[in-house]
Amino acid sequence: MQRTNFGEMACSIARALDVIGEPWSPLILRDVWVGFSRFEQIQADLGISRKVLTERLNHLVEQGVLDKKAYDQRPRYEYVLTEKGTELIDLLLVMKGWGDKWCAGDAGPPVLYRHHTCGEISDVDLRCTHCGHPMHANDIDVLPGPGAAR
């Protein structure tokens, strides 16, 4: 099945989806972030087929989100987040907050995050980079940017 190329659209959301829009990709990034760095670890945790995992890992490496580093002579690789990939984790933290609020059910969130700086359990909060106030969908106007389609 031919995949739509969102990377050519004049939309940063579409371009981001071109990198991580396939459903396994965010879960692979989550696994690498929490410490599953080897193919076998990721495959066992997700229950994903070897073929699909290989394709997704190769795509994430090609996109500059993951680096792979050989760890023995076969060759076998460990996967690590690049700077670009680490910034994508911030997006996953926002998704986690939404999932906790709307999908966790009566049991509550399956995972909690402790902030290194203050030691408290916390959630991500979107804020304006200029004034520091909360910034959500109803608080903004969408304007054309320098890269907008003509």
Side-chain angles (χ1 to χ4, degrees), residues 39-92:
F39 185 97
E40 295 77 18
Q41 294 172 317
I42 299 166
Q43 198 269 330
D45 185 58
L46 295 178
I48 185 174
S49 78
R50 297 181 69 79
K51 179 181 184 280
V52 171
L53 181 56
T54 298
E55 290 170 357
R56 296 314 329 147
L57 286 169
N58 288 339
H59 175 75
L60 293 168
V61 169
E62 288 167 11
Q63 294 296 316
V65 173
L66 293 177
D67 273 337
K68 65 181 189 178
K69 302 186 184 306
Y71 69 87
D72 82 19
Q73 300 300 322
R74 289 185 211 168
R76 290 187 177 249
Y77 298 97
E78 291 185 318
Y79 295 88
V80 295
L81 291 165
T82 63
E83 180 181 357
K84 187 176 179 180
T86 301
E87 285 192 21
L88 274 172
I89 299 304
D90 296 342
L91 172 65
L92 298 183

